[in-house]
Each structure stands twice: as structure tokens, then as C-alpha cells.
Amino acid sequence: MSLSLFLLLFFAAVLHSDERRVVYAHARAWQGEVMSKRGDGLPPAARPAESERRFKSAAIEEVIADMKNKMKDKDLAILFENCFPNTLDTTVYFDEGEREGEEDTFIITGDIPSMWLRDSTNQVWPYLAFVEKDKTLLKMLRGLVRRQTRSVRLDPYANAFNSVDNAHFTDTFKKAARGTSADDQTSSCGYQGSRIPEGRPEVHERKFEIDSLGSFFRLSRGYFLHSGDILPFDHTWIEAVEVVVEVLEKQQLSFEQAQACPPYTFARTTTVPTETLQFETGGPTTFTGMLRSPFRPSDDATTFPLLVPSNAFIAVEAEHVASMVRVLFPEKRELARRLAHLSQTIRKGIDQHARVTPHPSSDPTSAVYAFEVDGYGSHLMMDDANVPSLLSLPYLNYINANDSTYLSTRARLLSHRNPYFAEGSVISGVGSPHTGYGRVWPISVMMQAMTSTSKEEVKACLQTLRSSTSTGLMHESISPSNAGDYTRPWFAWANSLFGETILYIAHTYPDLLF
């Protein structure tokens, strides 16, 4: 990727949507020109010039060189070389600070110059395994833990943040500081039932998605597991954990219990129903032990607020963080107990309310997981490619990939019994209402590969991913029969996950790659 294309895509992110489409069209035309000029049929090289890369890791470059040298499929090798470092190359803003332990890292999603808690965790997740080999990489990731900690303490209900508090970053992101919509009406509970308007320049968007808080937990425990470094886990971090637990416990309340003074409301003037909330809080639910999530990982509003995959994600990560608290803050035994109890009650709620027998069913004893429930008996049968998803439950370590309920669920999701499954001559997989009907997100194919117990299925997923891009990078969604019809030319999460998928296959089925 040349500097001109990189800047073109960056400035597209701060334009209005109509202007963005024009810029992206030019970007795609440029990439098509590069493809035609190669003349060798291979995917185009898509990394910025070395001098233009935002962050460099010797350990990651070593992995890229080793994999590229050993991979027998040169198409996949080029895609890995492009995608795996894309987050480091293009989205990392790192301030080393004056002293060790004062690092600050802000990671944009790609073509949107703001930081989502979910995306930033997923973007760096495959790099955590290499921190012992690269002190600079460790410091950058430590800075991200610290940044997420501050963000959660600032507003635990926000899904995305701007960088307006670090002089090293602020000038770059001035145009993004206005947030997604200045007209959003969002509030918290105040004294004696009063409402406190929320919204501050540090917050890009305040859609409350419980998986955002789970992502903060996941990054914290992943960093601690791989590094053993305790510097970012100070009093501010434990205070952030306490804030998260308090917020999540409130989300266990039924709709009726929370009505006296809802902890969170959100309303947006829009023609898209999934961009705002019914009753400004989400639809009715009864108590199940599960957590209400007003919005999904896609940033779309839930239909039934008890979102099963995000609850499963929280159940896993709350237990991990409970263990961290016991080790790092032994005096916080009650906090660790609350985290463990949260995990247990969520699991119980999922078992009792989210395992359903769909109708019609050829086997009435074959239970599957619903995507969303309300506790009254209503359930939504679908999946969304964004992770956490039902397809990703083994990847999230919630359940074994051989579990019978999961296998029945998986078979349903990867078929037209899932309304957001699509197939074509280029790609088949799960999409998302977020990008409209009849499209496939490559992320779902990566999840399919990493949750499969079949070597042949993994091989088929590799072939699909190889043919799903004409740009040398992964994208948000694509038309099932046209790789050139895609959304988001610069979507770093998908690129990181592709790299993670290749490394997973290299470990699990090495003969498919080498």
C-alpha cells in the first residue's frame, strides 16, 4: 500500500458517508490497478512502506518471514504477510511515556479513527503470544491495557472512544472527536430517580454492549497470562474492575426491576430501527441470571436483550478475572466472589433459558442455543458474524467444540435455517444485519475454521478465504459471488483474525500450510 492510498483511506474515515463511498471507490480502483500490473495472478502486496508503518515489532516480523518462507500456497503467504501485521502497520498510536509503566496506546479500527474496546482487544489478541520476545511490543500492549482501564472508568457504558486526552494523538483525531451523533440522547440514573445526561468528547459512541466490558477483561487477563507483568494492574485497574462488576450486576435486573431508575438509556433520531432502543432501554425481560445487552457486537440494537453469545463471553472472562483478583489483590476476596458468582449465574441462565428446541425440528430432543431470549419464552434463531457469536462459542472457551448442543447449533447456523447465512460462487458463511441481507463476513469463515473438528472443513475455509479478496486484505463483508463488492476497505480486526486463523491452522493442521 502506497502512502497516497494510506492517506486516502485515512481521510475517508472522517468524511460523511456519501463522501466516503466516493473515496473508497477510488481506493478500490487503485487496488485493482495494482492487481493488474502484477501480472502473476498473486494477491497484491498491501503493507505500507517500512518508513510509513506506525509500529514495528521484531518478533512479529520474524514470524511473518518464517511463515512466508514455509507456506506452500503463495497466495495465502502473501495474504498472511499483508494481514497479520495490519493493526501494527496502520492503526497503533503509541506514547512510551516518561517512565516505564506510563505507556499509552490508542488503536483505531481502521477507516474509523476511534477506538472500540472490542475491536482493539481483538486487533492485538494474536500478538500477545510474542510479548516475551519483544519488549517494545510488551510496552505497547501494556499501554493499551492502561488506555482501556481509563476508558472503562470514564464511561463503562460506552462502546467507542476518541483520543482527546493525549497531546501526542489529539491533533490527529480532532475531526473524530465529535462522535458518531451529537444528537444522541443518553443518560444515567441520578439522585432520587433524576436523569443525568451523558456524553463527553472522549466518547465516540455510547451504545452499551456488554461484550465491550468482556473485551476489557479479556485483554487484561490475556496480557497478564502471556507477560506476567503486573505494572498495569494497579489501583486504577482494580477500581475499573469494581466499576464493571457493579454495572454488570445491574444488568441482571429484570426490565421491571430496572424501571424505577434505569442505569442506562439511549435514543437516536434515525430511520434505521437497530440504531436506537425500544423504550430507550431495550425490550422487556424477566430475571434469568443473564445480563441485558441493549446492543450487539455489531453495534445494532438487540431484539431480545438477553444476548446469548455475549453472556457466554462474560461468563468465561469474569471467571478468569476472578482468578486474577485472587492472585493480585488477595484483600479483594469479596470482589473475586462476585465475579465468580456472576459467571455461575450467567451459565445457569443460559442452560435454563437459551437451550431451546426449534420448530419445526426433525428431532424434538435436539436442543440448540438461541441467539437472543427474553426469559418469557421468546427466542431469536439466528447468528451474527461479529464475535462473540454462537459460532464462536468454542473459540471463546465457553464450550467444547464436540458438545452435542453446540454441534446442533453450528449445523443450523451454517445453513439457510440461519436467516443471515448466505452462499455464492466466492464465499459462503454468516453475515450480519449491520451490513444488510445476503452478504457474508469473512470473520465468520475464520470462526468456522477455528471451531471445526474436521480437517477437510478447515481446508475448505482456507480456500474460501483465499478467493474472497481482490485487494490482498480482509474486509467487513462481501457479496457472496463478487469479491470486488465489499464494505470497509480498511478493517483491521478482520486482518488480525485472519493472521490468527493461519497461526491456529499452522499449529493444528500444519500439513494444510507447509
Side-chain angles (χ1 to χ4, degrees):
M1 183 186 294
S2 71
L3 177 60
S4 59
L5 177 64
F6 179 76
L7 292 174
L8 185 66
L9 292 178
F10 177 81
F11 287 115
V14 297
L15 298 175
H16 296 297
S17 58
D18 290 342
E19 296 169 307
R20 283 190 200 179
R21 283 193 286 271
V22 174
V23 174
Y24 291 163
H26 286 302
R28 291 173 186 165
W30 181 91
Q31 289 169 322
E33 183 182 348
V34 170
M35 186 76 168
S36 62
K37 283 183 177 179
R38 286 191 63 128
D40 55 10
L42 294 173
R47 296 189 71 180
E50 187 172 350
S51 61
E52 298 168 7
R53 295 171 191 171
R54 294 218 52 84
F55 185 87
K56 300 173 185 177
S57 165
I60 298 304
E61 294 299 331
E62 183 179 336
V63 172
I64 293 168
D66 180 59
M67 291 289 289
K68 187 179 179 182
N69 182 56
K70 293 192 301 185
M71 291 174 70
K72 57 189 178 184
D73 187 315
K74 297 308 175 187
D75 285 12
L76 286 173
I78 292 172
L79 290 177
F80 180 78
E81 182 182 19
N82 289 342
C83 293
F84 185 49
N86 183 254
T87 285
L88 301 181
D89 286 351
T90 66
T91 71
V92 173
Y93 289 78
F94 176 53
D95 176 10
E96 195 165 353
E98 295 183 3
R99 294 185 296 275
E100 189 169 31
E102 294 183 352
E103 299 86 358
D104 184 19
T105 304
F106 189 84
I107 295 185
I108 66 174
T109 68
D111 49 36
I112 304 174
S114 295
M115 188 182 89
W116 266 249
L117 293 175
R118 171 184 52 261
D119 288 48
S120 59
T121 291
N122 289 322
Q123 284 170 246
V124 303
W125 187 254
Y127 306 141
L128 288 169
F130 305 100
V131 293
E132 288 188 347
K133 298 180 178 180
D134 190 333
K135 182 68 177 293
T136 304
L137 181 64
L138 181 145
K139 292 171 71 174
M140 185 274 286
L141 293 170
R142 180 196 292 151
L144 183 59
V145 174
R146 296 183 71 251
R147 164 66 64 166
Q148 286 199 359
T149 299
R150 293 202 307 278
S151 298
V152 167
R153 293 181 70 207
L154 176 72
D155 190 343
Y157 293 95
N159 57 325
F161 296 84
N162 298 313
S163 178
V164 297
D165 58 348
N166 187 319
H168 288 81
F169 312 149
T170 301
D171 287 345
T172 306
F173 301 119
K174 276 181 179 177
K175 291 185 180 181
R178 64 181 180 269
T180 298
S181 175
D183 297 325
D184 289 350
Q185 301 298 312
T186 179
S187 67
S188 58
C189 181
Y191 178 67
Q192 291 187 341
S194 63
R195 303 307 302 171
I196 302 174
E198 296 288 353
R200 44 178 64 89
E202 297 93 341
V203 172
H204 176 76
E205 188 172 57
R206 200 171 187 262
K207 287 181 174 177
F208 183 34
E209 305 150 2
I210 60 172
D211 74 283
S212 295
L213 300 179
S215 296
F216 163 61
F217 278 180
R218 188 185 192 216
L219 177 67
S220 293
R221 65 93 172 172
Y223 178 83
F224 181 60
L225 174 68
H226 286 286
S227 70
D229 176 27
I230 64 172
L231 276 178
F233 305 113
D234 55 14
H235 69 95
T236 60
W237 181 82
I238 197 65
E239 288 170 4
V241 172
E242 290 172 331
V243 167
V244 170
V245 172
E246 182 177 354
V247 167
L248 294 179
E249 287 175 339
K250 289 178 181 177
Q251 294 308 110
Q252 288 186 305
L253 296 174
S254 70
F255 178 81
E256 188 173 355
Q257 289 171 323
Q259 284 309 292
C261 193
Y264 165 85
T265 65
F266 181 94
R268 175 177 291 175
T269 301
T270 177
T271 59
V272 182
T274 53
E275 285 295 306
T276 192
L277 294 178
Q278 182 183 17
F279 307 127
E280 298 188 0
T281 59
T285 56
T286 190
F287 179 81
T288 64
M290 297 169 64
L291 313 174
R292 290 172 56 86
S293 185
F295 288 92
R296 298 171 180 165
S298 63
D299 300 333
D300 294 338
T302 50
T303 300
F304 302 122
L306 301 178
L307 178 58
V308 176
S310 290
N311 270 271
F313 180 47
I314 293 288
V316 171
E317 298 306 330
E319 186 60 48
H320 282 303
V321 174
S323 298
M324 283 183 66
V325 171
R326 294 186 193 104
V327 171
L328 297 175
F329 298 89
E331 73 280 9
K332 297 284 186 178
R333 289 190 297 271
E334 176 59 17
L335 179 62
R337 185 201 65 78
R338 290 166 65 194
L339 282 158
H341 181 70
L342 193 67
S343 175
Q344 293 160 8
T345 53
I346 291 171
R347 286 182 178 272
K348 185 177 180 180
I350 291 175
D351 287 343
Q352 292 181 346
H353 296 273
R355 292 178 74 252
V356 301
T357 301
H359 180 79
S361 174
S362 58
D363 180 5
T365 64
S366 179
V368 299
Y369 288 110
F371 183 64
E372 293 171 0
V373 299
D374 63 2
Y376 292 106
S378 300
H379 54 265
L380 181 61
M381 304 303 298
M382 60 164 280
D383 201 15
D384 186 304
N386 285 269
V387 180
S389 61
L390 290 176
L391 184 60
S392 70
L393 290 179
Y395 169 82
L396 300 173
N397 294 314
Y398 180 77
I399 203 166
N400 189 285
N402 288 306
D403 177 86
S404 59
T405 303
Y406 173 73
L407 289 174
S408 296
T409 305
R410 191 177 196 274
R412 186 181 186 90
L413 302 178
L414 296 175
S415 76
H416 288 288
R417 291 177 291 171
N418 173 9
Y420 293 98
F421 175 84
E423 59 183 338
S425 58
V426 171
I427 190 170
S428 298
V430 181
S432 169
H434 191 68
T435 48
Y437 186 74
R439 300 183 69 84
V440 177
W441 286 46
I443 280 177
S444 75
V445 181
M446 301 170 205
M447 277 299 122
Q448 183 180 350
M450 288 195 283
T451 58
S452 176
T453 59
S454 163
K455 183 177 178 180
E456 288 305 309
E457 183 180 16
V458 173
K459 182 179 180 180
C461 290
L462 271 178
Q463 294 169 344
T464 296
L465 291 168
R466 181 179 57 185
S467 64
S468 70
T469 175
S470 60
T471 66
L473 294 168
M474 295 292 122
H475 301 294
E476 179 186 51
S477 73
I478 66 172
S479 169
S481 297
N482 181 4
D485 179 6
Y486 56 82
T487 59
R488 298 194 68 178
W490 180 16
F491 186 35
W493 174 13
N495 291 319
S496 287
L497 191 64
F498 177 80
E500 182 181 348
T501 303
I502 293 297
L503 292 176
Y504 168 83
I505 295 171
H507 176 74
T508 310
Y509 300 109
D511 57 311
L512 292 181
L513 295 175
F514 309 129

